[in-house]
Amino acid sequence: MPIQHVENQYLISRGRVYFDPFDANEELTGEIPLGNCPGVTITIATEKAEHFSSETGLRQKDMSIVIQVDRTGSLTCDNFSPSNAALWLSGVHEKKTQASTPVTEEMRDVIPGRQYQLGATSGNPLGARNVSAVTVKNEAGDTTYAAGTDYNVDLETGRVQIIDGGGISAGTVQFGYTPTAATFDAVKSGGSSELQGALRIVSDNATGGNRDWYLPKVTLAPSGDLALIAEGTDVVTMEFSLEVLKGANTEAIYCNGRPVAS
């Protein structure tokens, strides 16, 4: 009988990525689907303790023991969802509600030629969006200025431009408007520079057997650039550096195939 050679298993990897953040007690809180992640890599580096014999004229290595292993990597995601943006910013994703309560006498100091955001406060710096019934009056409120002559307005973004050369001079004016009642996504950065949790990869490989990966304890830290404005047609990507840790009662990395019914 001829020698039986090993059948090569070539792999073109694909799959879905899930991150399960820890709470303050290092308990899992539920997996977040990250969406399309065109790159997830693990890099392993080891450190050895070496010993050299002094028993002969030629100093020769007679022992080499691995004493340390570091598992790091990177994760690239181009699904720019609010929850992913919050992860990259180490921040918070929440739902905000804008009420339709009419606003009157919003006092602002203005300069001709400049633009102003309606509803902007320290608690809501992005201000009101999708507004209607915008008015601009003088500080006393007894003179109403004309849209298109004294000021321009973008109702969708809630921005007012004071026309240079119009009837509004530098000083204080009153803005009035009515916001549209709506609920919308909001993300803000946080004070933490990294996140800890578990990482799961459910494989759907282009070729090669599907093997699912589970990393019970990892640290994700945002890295690199986020293109807020860019020339070209490349989609925006978010980069995370990845550190794989060994849990108290787990191994660092698990990789399992899938059972098939006989």
Side-chain angles (χ1 to χ4, degrees):
M1 177 179 289
I3 294 174
Q4 300 296 307
H5 296 289
V6 172
E7 180 180 352
N8 294 308
Q9 299 185 36
Y10 300 112
L11 178 65
I12 300 177
S13 57
R14 302 285 190 271
R16 300 181 185 275
V17 183
Y18 302 85
F19 180 65
D20 194 342
F22 289 154
D23 63 13
N25 298 316
E26 207 167 292
E27 297 290 336
L28 297 171
T29 58
E31 296 181 355
I32 301 171
L34 299 187
N36 192 56
C37 294
V40 181
T41 63
I42 295 175
T43 302
I44 296 180
T46 58
E47 181 180 331
K48 295 182 178 180
E50 299 176 334
H51 182 271
F52 292 83
S53 172
S54 301
E55 294 181 327
T56 62
L58 178 63
R59 184 171 181 261
Q60 300 182 75
K61 184 188 296 185
D62 62 0
M63 185 186 73
S64 180
I65 301 174
V66 175
I67 60 170
Q68 179 176 318
V69 60
D70 292 327
R71 302 177 181 96
T72 58
S74 65
L75 187 153
T76 302
C77 183
D78 60 13
N79 172 31
F80 197 73
S81 65
S83 59
N84 283 354
L87 286 177
W88 196 84
L89 293 169
S90 300
V92 177
H93 169 218
E94 58 188 2
K95 292 287 187 179
K96 281 193 172 183
T97 299
Q98 177 174 274
S100 59
T101 305
V103 176
T104 59
E105 299 181 4
E106 184 174 291
M107 311 297 287
R108 297 289 295 274
D109 293 332
V110 301
I111 298 174
R114 301 191 182 182
Q115 299 183 29
Y116 300 88
Q117 178 66 51
L118 297 176
T121 64
S122 58
N124 181 28
L126 287 173
R129 310 298 175 86
N130 285 323
V131 299
S132 61
V134 174
T135 61
V136 182
K137 299 181 180 180
N138 65 350
E139 183 175 10
D142 54 13
T143 299
T144 300
Y145 298 110
T149 301
D150 302 317
Y151 67 92
N152 296 318
V153 61
D154 185 331
L155 297 176
E156 182 180 0
T157 61
R159 295 181 59 77
V160 176
Q161 177 188 45
I162 306 301
I163 296 176
D164 195 5
I168 303 175
S169 57
T172 303
V173 299
Q174 295 184 22
F175 288 135
Y177 56 93
T178 300
T180 298
T183 300
F184 55 95
D185 290 297
V187 175
K188 60 182 177 182
S189 60
S192 175
S193 60
E194 61 184 24
L195 298 166
Q196 280 199 342
L199 192 71
R200 185 187 303 274
I201 299 173
V202 179
S203 294
D204 187 8
N205 296 326
T207 188
N210 286 320
R211 298 177 182 87
D212 299 326
W213 297 78
Y214 188 66
L215 288 60
K217 186 176 183 180
V218 303
T219 296
L220 285 182
S223 64
D225 301 326
L226 183 69
L228 302 184
I229 297 177
E231 186 177 359
T233 58
D234 293 340
V235 298
V236 171
T237 61
M238 292 170 285
E239 304 284 342
F240 296 87
S241 63
L242 177 67
E243 187 168 12
V244 185
L245 306 173
K246 185 185 182 305
N249 299 298
T250 67
E251 296 300 328
I253 301 174
Y254 296 87
C255 177
N256 285 0
R258 298 175 186 170
V260 178
S262 58

